[in-house]
Amino acid sequence: MPATRRRALALIRSFTSPLLPDDYLELINPLWSTRELRGRIERIERETPEAVTIVIKPGWEWPGHRPGQYLRLGIEVDGVHHWRAYSLTSDPRRPDGCITITPKLVAAGKVSPFLFGRVRPGTIVRLGGVEGTFVLPDPPPERLLFISAGSGITPIMSMLRHLADAGPLRDVVHVHCSRTSDGVIFAGELRRLERLHPAYRLHERITSRQRRVSPDQLDELCPDWRERETFLCGPTGLLEAMKQRWALDAEPARLHVEHFQPDAHVGDGERGEGGTVSFCSSGIQAASDGEQPILVAGEQAGADLPFGCRMGICHSCVGRLRSGRVRDLRTGRVHGQPGEMLRTCINAPEGAVELDL
Amino acid sequence: MSATQVDPRATQPFSAQDESPLASLAPEQIEQLGRELDALHDEVFADLGERDSRYIRSTIKLHRHLVLAARALLLGSRRKPLWLAGTASLSLAKILENMEIGHNVMHGQWDWMNDPDINSQSWDWDTASPAEAWRHSHNYEHHTFTNIRGKDRDLGYEIMRIDPHQRWHPVYLFQPLYNLLLMGFFEWGVAVHDLNGDAIRSGEKSKKQVVKELKAIGVKARRQIVKDYIAFPLLSRRGFKATLAANFTANIVRNVWAHSIIFCGHFPDQTYTFSEDEAAEETRGGWYVRQLLGAANIDGRPLFHLLAGNLSFQIEHHLFPDMPSSRYAEIAPRVRDICRRYGLPYNTGPLHRQLGAVHRTILRLAFPGGTPRPKPGPYRPS
């Protein structure tokens, strides 16, 4: 921030302290907050019986995204604020300046049923930042292969829209699997792309009728798959099988994979023995067997802890470490210095731990 | 002077009537009462939702609108009607921000919403007390050791004799006087109180910590002075003095109001205080009973409760400090019913009576002697 702007802001703040100028600006328009990025839900469009597209108008400080990235979205459901990560499905150059996400209904979930049936246009949401390295290179590669399954289509849709917006698609093979034929998200748009762009070849597979796509079908569906930059997104089983094939038979660096984060399980790091956690604010004691992160262990012991994405990206759950060591469940690394801010959702105690939470 | 100087002769009840109703309950009854109150807490928390979120958000919005209106009116502070309306609006805003919003958000009453902004750890208020120090001295010390003589530093705030169990000292002769000062400058009194003079003298609090906390008070002081006594008066140009006077008045009004409501919470004659022995090895149920006996409510209408930050439901607040304040009025009949069934008092009365009792006690106990006032019996629905 330039020094003059900083000084001007400090001056304005001396009128509003301890509040920020934003706290008053947002009375006029909630999107004007500069403290945090917000968006307003404009429309909710039904895609399939199990997926909706949410069209969001972001505030003016929206930094934009690269096709394939995901958004951390903060939304209040029944009075409680939740953070979720969703792939952005829109072309970054959308003329109306809006962005879209296309969540799939998780019936037992908290946020997706709300987005699916109850959310109303006009709702203000928090936009917690754009992340992800699963992105289309710039300039885009000459020859592309997209492999998607189910809601794995979402980051790839942003890429397709982006490519189609720049002109005729050049050489794109797209293999997409869906369980049922009426469950194909963006079915209409994919088929339209196919009609308009001769160089876009779409192979749709309905897995309730046909076999799921597997690595041994690659030669038949796309004989030159080894020469293409491949973007792959879908369930873990599919990802693992394809990764193996590339490792064995092709250049693994040309395969780009997006993992949708698993829900209950945090990371693949080595596990420790676990330990106990003392939450110093509430005085609650919790124990983890080494598999449970501090957050889950605490919640099970009745502690009311801040939480966010539950996968280590949003830093909503941080607490100050007083003593002890923890293990990062994603990497297996044991770490922790007194005074350090820890994410409780991805760290498990390694012995006795005290936290200022 | 310190609340830790308890008269050794006065650790026993003065009379049978002074004896805590806690003694009349069997251990099983206390446990049963604890379970009932736990269940009431869980029932409310299971029901929290959009209605509550809407309530705190609209209260916060109301505060901000009041501030904007006040500051705009005071741009013309040289005109009497604008000065009056602006000062009234600013006083209301400060009261709302201090009591219903600041105190309650910083208690963690709205932490269940998981909202990054309306959160006890990130909230700051427009008073002299830095948030962190206040949370420690109030949320932890006062709410845990409520009305335990020698442990609850909020009993008389270390400078007053408000309980005949406290040993008399000639300095207390001046307490009616300095209580008046404390009334007007209550926020500063609270900020200094949070420093904990006893802990500093005993060396329990390190010098480094004291310096850090003093600096934090300095920052808060500077911000209030810059905002209320320099920035906004300058903005009124020729109305500099009138706006300064308005802002000063609003701070005083807020302080007097906060002092009155808060002193009514524990000091009216009919609340009980406890010796450390009585509170030793206390169970969950026993803790609840102590909170019930040590707090006093004020009767009033919804607007009054809003401006009191719902501390007019001090009893409910002390039973469930982390419960959203807007729920206290709803559970009050259930708490009264529990009092009736267990034969416990439920201390409540109109503002003038409660406040009268506070000041009567401060006057009487400025002088040596004094005995506890007669206590009301078990709660009887009228």
Side-chain angles (χ1 to χ4, degrees), chain B residues 142-146 266 274 286-295 314-315 318-319:
Chain B
H142 167 59
H143 273 273
T144 311
F145 305 117
T146 314
H266 299 291
F274 305 86
W287 183 86
Y288 274 131
V289 176
R290 176 159 56 84
Q291 301 298 331
L292 257 174
L293 299 176
Q314 188 77 238
I315 296 172
H318 261 271
L319 292 173

Side-chain angles (χ1 to χ4, degrees), chain A residues 121-136:
Chain A
T123 301
I124 300 297
V125 293
R126 287 190 168 87
L127 307 178
V130 171
E131 285 169 53
T133 52
F134 183 71
V135 292
L136 206 53

Side-chain angles (χ1 to χ4, degrees), chain A residues 104 146-153 174-181 183-185 190 202-208 210-214 217 221 232-235 238 242:
Chain A
K104 195 172 178 219
F146 291 131
I147 306 172
S148 53
S151 56
I153 183 77
H174 187 180
V175 182
H176 179 59
C177 308
S178 184
R179 204 163 43 77
T180 57
S181 55
V184 182
I185 308 172
L190 291 174
L202 174 67
H203 301 282
E204 274 186 72
R205 300 226 141 201
I206 304 302
T207 53
S208 58
Q210 292 164 287
R211 214 151 63 84
R212 261 175 78 166
V213 71
S214 63
Q217 294 166 292
L221 291 167
L232 166 66
C233 186
L238 177 72
M242 291 294 178

Side-chain angles (χ1 to χ4, degrees), chain A residues 65-132:
Chain A
H65 74 280
R66 295 179 65 189
Q69 288 191 302
Y70 58 84
L71 165 73
R72 286 193 295 112
L73 179 90
I75 189 162
E76 191 179 306
V77 180
D78 297 328
V80 180
H81 187 264
H82 295 267
W83 285 108
R84 288 291 185 275
Y86 294 110
S87 287
L88 283 154
T89 50
S90 46
D91 172 14
R93 287 179 303 218
R94 222 178 122 107
D96 63 0
C98 287
I99 53 175
T100 63
I101 54 169
T102 307
K104 195 172 178 219
L105 176 67
V106 181
K110 192 87 201 166
V111 176
S112 74
F114 180 75
L115 291 175
F116 212 78
R118 289 165 54 201
V119 77
R120 294 278 161 261
T123 301
I124 300 297
V125 293
R126 287 190 168 87
L127 307 178
V130 171
E131 285 169 53

